[in-house]
Amino acid sequence: RIDSRLLERAYAYCESVTAINSRSFHLASGLLPDGKRRAARALYAFCRVSDDIVDEGGGESKQELAAWRATTSLVHPPEEDLVAVAWADARLRYDIPLRYAEQLLDGVATDLEKDRYATIDELAQYSYGVASTVGLMSMHIIGYSDEEALPYAIKLGVALQLTNILRDIAEDWARGRVYVPQDELAHFGLCEDDIAAG
């Protein structure tokens, strides 16, 4: 059990992280009942911190991500890490499998080692890690009535990630990353010079 005052602070902090970083998710999660809303925003904050460690962490990203993985797998994370506290409570309260969180962390860690994808199959595997896992964790919070829903969550996650990739081509290029598969670029007579030229 986590102290109720600490939990209030932790969930309030996750709400602010969500409000600042994603107006659309903040608005959509606001439609959920109170407990689910708080858990969804804790999930968002967990994902946001995970992503930011990789995108903004600098030379220590691998170590920071490993430390974050260790912290967020704890039932009782350090009290000063409000996102980890709220996430631990949400994960346990809604019985979210830890393996989904681990798969997400594996997915974001890919960006530390890989900046090009040869095929759509490679990109789909990456998209599962960084996006489908979020849908699978969300399902435990929101609820679902049948296991048959799981493949649809996986497909939706991949589709949403591919949409983000197409939206963020210039931003990703500035970070040294090209997610559009190399064989797709070649098929349409494009190369990375075309991306560089906008």
Side-chain angles (χ1 to χ4, degrees), residues 26-192:
H26 188 262
L27 179 67
S29 60
L31 301 173
L32 295 170
D34 183 53
K36 292 182 179 193
R37 177 177 64 245
R38 290 162 39 119
R41 290 173 178 171
L43 170 59
Y44 177 86
F46 163 71
C47 296
R48 174 84 273 139
V49 170
S50 303
D51 203 42
D52 286 349
I53 288 170
V54 171
D55 287 343
E56 300 168 13
E60 302 299 315
S61 293
K62 274 189 181 179
Q63 294 86 343
E64 288 179 33
L65 195 61
W68 177 242
R69 178 188 297 266
T71 298
T72 56
S73 67
L74 297 171
V75 174
H76 295 288
E79 291 186 5
E80 65 273 10
D81 196 329
L82 296 178
V83 172
V85 168
W87 172 238
D89 183 71
R91 187 169 54 81
L92 295 170
R93 190 177 300 266
Y94 289 94
D95 201 24
I96 299 169
L98 183 59
R99 74 177 180 279
Y100 291 150
E102 291 170 342
Q103 288 172 334
L104 178 127
L105 293 170
D106 291 342
V108 298
T110 303
D111 282 336
L112 297 172
E113 299 170 359
K114 188 170 182 146
D115 55 19
R116 302 292 189 276
Y117 291 83
T119 66
I120 191 69
D121 288 339
E122 275 187 24
L123 186 60
Q125 184 177 355
Y126 167 79
S127 297
Y128 171 87
V130 299
S132 297
T133 55
V134 180
L136 292 166
M137 290 186 280
S138 297
M139 289 176 67
H140 284 269
I141 295 169
I142 296 166
Y144 60 100
S145 59
D146 196 308
E147 296 285 320
E148 290 180 12
L150 298 176
Y152 295 102
I154 293 169
K155 291 175 184 178
L156 179 60
V158 171
L160 290 171
Q161 185 62 27
L162 293 178
T163 302
N164 287 346
I165 286 166
L166 293 173
R167 180 196 65 196
D168 296 338
I169 289 175
E171 182 181 321
D172 292 331
W173 176 257
R175 286 192 167 123
R177 298 178 189 146
V178 177
Y179 291 102
V180 178
Q182 299 295 303
D183 64 353
E184 292 284 329
L185 288 173
H187 177 77
F188 289 100
L190 298 169
C191 65
E192 292 190 13

Side-chain angles (χ1 to χ4, degrees), residues 11-34:
Y11 277 118
Y13 181 73
C14 290
E15 179 177 352
S16 70
V17 168
T18 306
I20 290 166
N21 291 284
S22 180
R23 290 190 316 233
S24 59
F25 188 85
H26 188 262
L27 179 67
S29 60
L31 301 173
L32 295 170
D34 183 53

